[in-house]
Amino acid sequence: MTERFTGSFTQQDPIPEAGIAAALAVLRHGRLHRYNTAPDELSETALLEQEFAATVGAKYCLAVASGGYAMGTALRALGVGPGDRVLSNAFTLAPVPGAIASVGATPVFVGVTEGLTIDLDDLAAKLDQARVLLLSHMRGHICDMDRLMAMCDAAGVQVVEDCAHTMGAAWHGVPSGRHGVIGCYSCQTYKHVNSGEGGFLVTDDPHLAAKSVMLSGSYMLFERHLAAPPPEAFADLKYTTPNISGRMDNLRAAILRPQVADLATQCARWNERYYALEAGLRNTPGLHIVERHEKETIVGSSIQFLLLDWAADRVVEVIDRCKARGVELKWFGAPEPVAFTSRYDSWRYAPSAPMAASDRILAGVVDMRVPLTFSLEDCALIARIIRSEVSAVYQLTAVAE
Ligand SMILES: *Cc1c(COP(=O)(O)O)cnc(C)c1O
């Protein structure tokens, strides 16, 4: 009998009961705007910021409307503006070049390695083209952050980390988002905490924190923050910083607080699933496992493997055959962007020269989401299905040649 998987690749866990209860309390009192507080009340949003700052060990935290908004705010706070160039990953998702374009700047794309991290040699060659790197830890793959930071520090390039896929992850024990000058996170449904939409910006720099708070639309209510710098940091900024509204609200914050408290447990559950999948895929002929660095503390909320140097029609055949058995794989090599997958050459508002070495890797990247609603048995079954279909197509190819 041919095995089939019948679960959903897009169904996340429900919101924890504590989050539902807290959300109902906010709905009942009606004070959803973060600065709408009763006397002596601390808003859910301000408390969430304090708790997230503690979770990642940052001095300051600002909760905002989305991860993309956090990145745009980070760039604005650093003074990036029209005509500037910003280094970023060729392998990432659309909100990243979008954040750069949102401030009128232009991305300079840096290539990707077989480990699916930014190519540090390519970065070294391009470091003189910009003064900011928006580094995307795409799909949770973290590059050698010690080397990257040493290179960027030496070149005077400031690093903003896009941690949409690395909330809860770390490099050499340092939480992802805490190497660069600013870290940005997403709370969108498909990330590691879920409020539908939402994001965080963290930093230890009081000037950047104050500027971000003003940018997010704090009016003159910045003293109601619990994870922002003291009023002195706002002294001049409050007159010179435009309000570009993108605040978090108390309803989303209420939903998020119990999830932030539970992040480590959830990350461990993701990793059990990730390693079950990885074990099931190992030693499949023609399939290249993306090995994780020993200094990386991962959060396996998605898994990637490479069908390196496969003909495009063979990759499509694998994807189609897996789909017929209920396993939804995404392919970064498709000529047309589909759903969430697009590539640096799909972003035609930011033209760039082709990168042959990266194109070879992107042409082989197959990607799969790992929602926590999968059981470990589901993961073993999914791995068996992928393994059998990859093997079948690989053998056909070998025979044909
Ligand atoms: C989701 C995502 C973001 C931010 O997304 P928002 O939807 O704006 O919260 C940033 N970078 C990557 C790589 C993402 O996948």
Side-chain angles (χ1 to χ4, degrees), residues 323-379:
K323 179 131 201 268
R325 295 177 67 181
V327 174
E328 280 177 39
L329 302 175
K330 309 274 186 250
W331 179 40
F332 278 88
E336 273 300 308
V338 183
F340 290 101
T341 43
S342 56
R343 247 190 353 226
Y344 73 96
D345 54 353
S346 329
W347 307 318
R348 293 185 197 166
Y349 58 86
S352 97
M355 289 182 266
S358 295
D359 291 343
R360 170 178 171 255
I361 292 159
L362 290 174
V365 178
V366 180
D367 173 63
M368 193 187 95
R369 245 190 222 131
V370 186
L372 287 177
T373 48
F374 286 2
S375 65
L376 295 181
E377 292 72 34
D378 290 338
C379 294

Side-chain angles (χ1 to χ4, degrees), residues 80-100:
V80 177
D84 287 342
R85 290 151 73 83
V86 175
L87 293 155
S88 196
N89 305 58
F91 177 50
T92 185
L93 290 184
V96 179
I100 297 170

Side-chain angles (χ1 to χ4, degrees), residues 66-68 71 92-93 95-96 136 138 162 164-165 186 188 191 197-198:
S66 73
M71 293 187 289
T92 185
L93 290 184
V96 179
S136 184
M138 174 63 172
D162 164 27
H165 304 163
S186 171
Q188 195 225 82
K191 313 300 163 88
E197 303 286 356

Side-chain angles (χ1 to χ4, degrees), residues 137-216:
H137 302 298
M138 174 63 172
R139 286 296 186 256
H141 297 276
I142 304 179
C143 73
D144 182 339
M145 288 302 295
D146 304 322
R147 186 173 159 213
L148 178 129
M149 289 309 303
M151 285 167 57
C152 290
D153 287 346
V157 169
Q158 289 188 290
V159 179
V160 175
E161 293 180 73
D162 164 27
C163 306
H165 304 163
T166 54
M167 185 191 287
W171 173 265
H172 208 174
V174 177
S176 187
R178 301 293 298 129
H179 294 85
V181 64
I182 297 178
C184 301
Y185 306 80
S186 171
C187 311
Q188 195 225 82
T189 296
Y190 301 108
K191 313 300 163 88
H192 299 172
V193 291
N194 173 14
S195 58
E197 303 286 356
F200 295 114
L201 180 158
V202 302
T203 183
D204 285 348
D205 182 308
H207 175 77
L208 294 174
K211 202 161 170 195
S212 300
V213 168
M214 288 305 301
L215 283 165
S216 77

